[in-house]
């Protein structure tokens, strides 16, 4: 089968707007707390049909970012 998405048409997710707002708030906070990060490999793109963006986004965080203060 295919993966569920926020989609459109008959199968549009009603929580889509809330999920996007939550991510817009959470991602900058998470990034600031994790500290230094860099790409840990290639970033393959999806075909330019339907969902746009990378298939995966491999990241590596600095060792000091893993220590809890």
């Amino acid at each position: 089968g295919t993966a569920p998405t926020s989609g459109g048409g008959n199968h549009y997710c009603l929580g889509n707007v809330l999920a996007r707002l939550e991510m817009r708030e959470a991602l900058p906070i998470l990034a600031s707390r994790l500290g230094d990060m860099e790409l840990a490999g290639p970033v393959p793109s999806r075909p330019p049909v339907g969902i746009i963006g990378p298939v995966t986004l491999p990241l590596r965080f600095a060792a000091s970012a893993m220590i809890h203060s």
Side-chain angles (χ1 to χ4, degrees):
T2 60
T5 65
S6 295
N10 293 336
H11 302 285
Y12 186 77
C13 175
L14 296 177
N16 180 17
V17 174
L18 178 59
R20 288 177 188 270
L21 287 171
E22 289 174 340
M23 292 305 289
R24 190 173 295 149
E25 183 72 22
L27 287 177
I29 294 169
L30 180 62
S32 71
R33 291 182 182 180
L34 288 174
D36 294 333
M37 70 177 121
E38 62 185 26
L39 285 175
V43 181
S45 295
R46 295 180 187 277
V49 177
I51 299 173
I52 299 170
V55 174
T56 60
L57 184 60
L59 298 174
R60 179 179 303 120
F61 297 93
S64 62
M66 298 303 178
I67 299 171
H68 300 286
S69 54

